[in-house]
Amino acid sequence: MHDLQLAAGGRLRHLITLAGMPRATIERLLERAEAMRHDSQGGARPLDLLEGRTLINLFFEPSTRTRTSFDLAAQRLGALVINFDIERSSTVKGESLLDTIHTLEAMHCDAFVVRHKESGTPETIARNLRSNAAVLNAGDGNHAHPTQGLLDALTLRRRVEDFSKLSIVICGDIRHSRVARSDVDVLRTLGVRDLRLCAPPELLPQSDAAEFAQCSFVHTLDQAIIGCDAAIMLRLQKERMEAAAIPSEADYFARYGLDAARLARAKPGCVVMHPGPINRNVEIADEVADGAQSLILEQVSNGVFARMAVLAELLERR
Ligand code: NCD
């Protein structure tokens, strides 16, 4: 993958995964995201770094946060953005994915932001391009969601000095979660040692899954959250589960839902994160989602800055 993603000199060519990404690259992107926050004064002041560049959002799965924030990030850097409407495109007439990509490339564009239910689709596109366009993975199957990993790291980094001292639990549908995989990749690289995965057995990955090596697997949230500095809650991804793999929602909430009583078992001030969309009272109680320890909307705000940083790194003219 690294031959594909990193050019000579360590410059990013595409963004497909955070697995194996050098710590220096991750830290550079996080610094840049902070600079974007500063330069845009936390808001909508446009910068012109990407003037004349064109980005195409290609979302084959639904999205609220990721798509909108890529759109805003690119526009705030001065790029032109096309939100490709798959439902009304020739995809429904049977045009293949690569024919669609080559068609869009023929109109000249600089970047494709791709979300797809099949793991590996952004990589396949990147390997088959006919132009110098960059591919940004906006979530592929259960494989990776690199900009989510970066924005989660950015959100935590504002609160903590030393990642190596943190205890973090990731709880929920880990088996189907690309967010869990990208979070584990980035948090490990930044030095987190105590990473706990918590889910019902049917939603945990295989205990020998290489991408979760060195994480501990804990079966109850009551246990897993003890002494934690951060709890990252995940959505039950019903669209990726075969029927019957899940306990009832009420049952799930009783055992794995984060409510105030469970949160009290963590360290005082433990922060609560969730990539969204949240299923209220399935994986997280209202009192926690909307409570003082919740960083859920801060994550959303940081998503724009993280994506501005990535887009600048990939598309800025040098
Ligand atoms: C997630 C996704 O689509 O991977 N959402 C997001 O991008 N913030 C998580 C989810 O759908 O549960």
Side-chain angles (χ1 to χ4, degrees):
M1 183 73 71
H2 295 292
D3 57 312
L4 182 69
Q5 186 162 270
L6 287 183
R11 209 190 135 205
L12 212 54
R13 263 293 285 126
H14 302 285
L15 179 61
I16 310 291
T17 178
L18 299 178
M21 183 177 283
R23 181 167 183 163
T25 309
I26 289 172
E27 287 184 343
R28 181 172 77 232
L29 290 169
L30 297 176
E31 288 291 336
R32 188 116 204 229
E34 284 302 342
M36 292 295 180
R37 181 197 315 278
H38 180 263
D39 291 350
S40 53
Q41 293 167 349
R45 201 185 94 195
L47 308 166
D48 57 9
L49 283 177
L50 300 189
E51 212 180 315
R53 298 295 212 175
T54 304
L55 174 137
I56 303 199
N57 267 329
L58 275 170
F59 279 65
F60 292 87
E61 276 191 342
S63 172
T64 295
R65 281 149 281 267
T66 307
R67 187 166 101 151
T68 310
S69 66
F70 264 114
D71 192 341
L72 283 172
Q75 293 204 45
R76 285 181 186 167
L77 292 173
L80 189 70
V81 180
I82 304 290
N83 283 297
F84 186 74
D85 185 351
I86 289 164
E87 298 298 315
R88 294 199 209 188
S89 75
S90 292
T91 300
V92 299
K93 299 183 188 170
E95 185 164 58
S96 77
L97 176 66
L98 289 179
D99 283 333
T100 302
I101 296 290
H102 295 149
T103 300
L104 296 171
E105 280 186 290
M107 293 184 228
H108 185 85
C109 54
D110 301 291
F112 294 107
V113 177
V114 182
R115 167 169 287 190
H116 202 282
K117 71 176 191 320
E118 299 293 339
S119 297
T121 302
E123 181 179 351
T124 303
I125 293 173
R127 290 198 186 282
N128 287 282
L129 290 175
R130 293 183 176 166
S131 67
N132 283 328
V135 176
L136 294 99
N137 182 2
D140 61 331
N142 68 3
H143 168 241
H145 193 346
T147 54
Q148 182 73 42
L150 289 171
L151 78 88
D152 286 347
L154 184 66
T155 304
L156 276 170
R157 188 176 179 265
R158 311 199 83 216
R159 309 265 162 166
V160 302
E161 308 240 305
D162 184 353
F163 277 88
S164 73
K165 301 212 175 88
L166 297 182
S167 295
I168 298 180
V169 60
I170 303 180
C171 178
D173 180 5
I174 291 164
R175 177 169 298 184
H176 301 99
S177 178
R178 52 201 178 206
V179 175
R181 285 167 177 80
S182 286
D183 278 356
V184 166
D185 289 336
V186 71
L187 294 173
R188 278 243 161 281
T189 304
L190 292 174
V192 178
R193 286 192 284 243
D194 183 8
L195 256 179
R196 311 171 191 178
L197 305 180
C198 178
E202 56 274 50
L203 296 180
L204 272 178
Q206 312 281 48
S207 57
D208 60 355
E211 66 268 38
F212 295 116
Q214 296 159 32
C215 295
S216 47
F217 289 61
V218 189
H219 288 287
T220 69
L221 186 54
D222 280 333
Q223 199 63 39
I225 200 164
I226 292 174
C228 276
D229 302 280
I232 300 176
M233 305 303 292
L234 301 172
R235 182 176 67 90
L236 270 187
Q237 299 184 66
K238 295 172 227 166
E239 75 276 21
R240 291 191 217 287
M241 294 176 198
E242 305 89 62
I246 33 165
S248 78
E249 289 183 354
D251 218 41
Y252 182 87
F253 185 68
R255 288 193 291 150
Y256 299 96
L258 186 56
D259 60 12
R262 269 195 186 119
L263 185 54
R265 300 169 71 90
K267 275 200 197 131
C270 169
V271 295
V272 177
M273 296 167 58
H274 191 306
I278 58 179
N279 291 311
R280 286 177 177 268
N281 304 311
V282 178
E283 67 259 353
I284 191 164
D286 290 339
E287 71 215 18
V288 174
D290 305 324
Q293 285 159 260
S294 169
L295 302 184
I296 296 173
L297 292 176
E298 203 171 306
Q299 287 170 271
V300 175
S301 306
N302 287 334
V304 179
F305 304 122
R307 291 175 177 116
M308 286 171 84
V310 167
L311 289 170
E313 165 98 8
L314 286 167
L315 300 178
E316 196 178 13
R317 288 181 214 276
R318 293 167 199 235

